Amino acid sequence: MNISLNGEERIVRPGATVNDLVEELGVPTRGVAVALDHVIVPRSAWARTVVKVGARVDVVTAMQGG
Amino acid sequence: MTSSPTPGSNDPDPLVIAGRSLASRLVLGTGGATSHASLEAAVRASGTDLVTVAMRRVPQGGAGGLLDVLDRCEVALLPNTAGCRTAREALLTARLAREALGTSWVKLEVVADDRTLLPDVVELVDAAEQLVRDGFVVLPYTTDDPVVSRRLVDVGCAAVMPLGSPIGSGLGIRNPHAIELVRDAVDVPVILDAGIGTASDAALAMELGCDAVLLASAVTRAEDPASMAGAMRHAVIAGRLAHRAGRIPVRRLALASSPVAGRVGS
């Protein structure tokens, strides 16, 4: 099924969780936060939050900035 | 008579924001540094204990260890909402930052356009009010308008951060009188944010009564960032000392400092 991960279309298996997507990005989980359809998903809920078709997932972290 | 503040761990003149004491009155933005090594040298030379970061989508494979660098420097993080155009975007960004970094402090930026990066103060006050209600310690980047600053304090902001001139311009403080009016208008810390080009700009901000200075480009884009960071550290301390020392009044004509009486040949 299709979702949007950090602005890019991705095909993921049905039943994929937020945790699966963060792992797919291959990023350290420290200093990272996730929004699912513009709503924060707390880290404690990543493993049980299933992403639905057409979902928009943003995984963000701190970058250099003024 | 109060004793003169001296920089260091026993500084009797700390900057206090929302009950938290900061030893340095210089807040350093991390944007614009060409490498982590250059950034680390600048952060250390600046003596700051608070640095800003932006929140962005993680690239595939990770962001490359910025947080490790800042951890090593033992500085607190002040995430910003740079790039946000609406209160709605700023709220989401601030909440992501709180979740990612475990801090409820936020440098609130809501800008109107890319050409000027000037604050959209209508969206700004709206966002500030909602974030304060949501438990954030809000430090808003704002215009040098004392009325807007008062509005921001009315909705609960912990400090106000008026611009000296547009972000990254290095034009310095274009309207010192307005900054003094902001200082007089609010009873929270005033942090001069944006436009600083060189050390004298930072010293002027402090002489005008600002409580701190926030700058990024002036250091990170200088030819020698660490040297400029050191210059800014001293400029902020010098400006603060001068402000507290009580400068002499400005006169139109000379006033001799040597005795008038007893001059040879008189």
Side-chain angles (χ1 to χ4, degrees):
Chain A
M1 64 175 193
N2 286 300
I3 63 142
S4 163
L5 179 59
N6 278 353
E8 288 179 14
E9 289 301 313
R10 294 245 184 166
I11 298 170
V12 299
R13 65 170 176 79
T17 64
V18 166
N19 212 39
D20 296 335
L21 296 181
V22 174
E23 280 183 8
E24 188 177 323
L25 274 176
V27 301
T29 56
R30 175 177 162 261
V32 167
V34 176
L36 174 58
D37 294 328
H38 306 294
V39 177
I40 310 287
V41 182
R43 179 172 306 251
S44 57
W46 285 4
R48 59 181 152 83
T49 302
V50 174
V51 179
K52 299 198 172 89
V53 174
R56 186 189 156 135
V57 182
D58 286 300
V59 183
V60 305
T61 192
M63 303 274 188
Q64 287 182 31
Chain B
M1 190 178 154
T2 56
S3 63
S4 294
T6 49
S9 57
N10 296 319
D11 192 344
D13 178 35
L15 170 64
V16 179
I17 303 173
R20 175 164 158 191
S21 189
L22 296 163
S24 170
R25 291 176 175 271
L26 178 58
V27 183
L28 194 66
T30 59
T34 53
S35 70
H36 282 171
S38 159
L39 177 63
E40 181 165 356
V43 169
R44 291 187 188 281
S46 75
T48 189
D49 40 16
L50 185 64
V51 302
T52 68
V53 292
M55 301 307 296
R56 291 290 181 269
R57 288 168 169 167
V58 193
Q60 185 79 39
L66 173 67
L67 291 177
D68 295 329
V69 171
L70 298 177
D71 268 2
R72 271 203 301 279
C73 295
E74 297 181 337
V75 288
L77 300 182
L78 177 61
N80 69 28
T81 63
C84 291
R85 297 288 184 84
T86 63
R88 185 170 162 270
E89 289 172 8
L91 256 62
L92 177 59
T93 304
R95 286 170 181 149
L96 282 164
R98 180 167 62 181
E99 172 72 13
L101 305 176
T103 176
S104 58
W105 283 40
V106 63
K107 175 186 169 182
L108 179 61
E109 290 183 51
V110 188
V111 299
D113 62 70
D114 287 337
R115 206 168 72 87
T116 65
L117 295 177
L118 287 172
D120 181 328
V121 297
V122 175
E123 293 289 328
L124 183 70
V125 174
D126 180 19
E129 185 166 20
Q130 295 189 62
L131 285 170
V132 168
R133 212 180 296 142
D134 196 12
F136 282 89
V137 173
V138 181
L139 289 71
Y141 163 63
T142 184
T143 53
D144 58 2
D145 180 337
V147 181
V148 174
S149 282
R150 205 153 47 212
R151 290 279 184 155
L152 289 163
V153 174
D154 285 346
V155 301
C157 289
V160 292
M161 308 208 295
L163 57 83
S165 53
I167 291 171
S169 69
L171 284 167
I173 299 171
R174 304 310 291 183
N175 192 344
H177 178 61
I179 297 298
E180 283 181 316
L181 289 177
V182 169
R183 171 63 288 172
D184 292 345
V186 298
D187 56 3
V188 298
V190 175
I191 304 173
L192 196 288
D193 182 8
I196 298 288
T198 188
S200 52
D201 299 330
L204 175 60
M206 300 305 290
E207 289 170 12
L208 292 171
C210 291
D211 298 277
V213 172
L214 193 163
L215 55 89
S217 305
V219 161
T220 60
R221 296 192 167 118
E223 279 185 32
D224 181 347
S227 289
M228 188 59 88
M232 293 300 185
R233 172 190 202 155
H234 292 294
V236 166
I237 292 167
R240 177 68 178 175
L241 286 168
H243 175 70
R244 284 166 58 101
R247 60 151 300 152
I248 60 167
V250 175
R251 301 167 54 91
R252 288 187 62 238
L253 295 173
L255 175 64
S257 58
S258 303
V260 174
R263 281 178 294 181
V264 177
S266 60

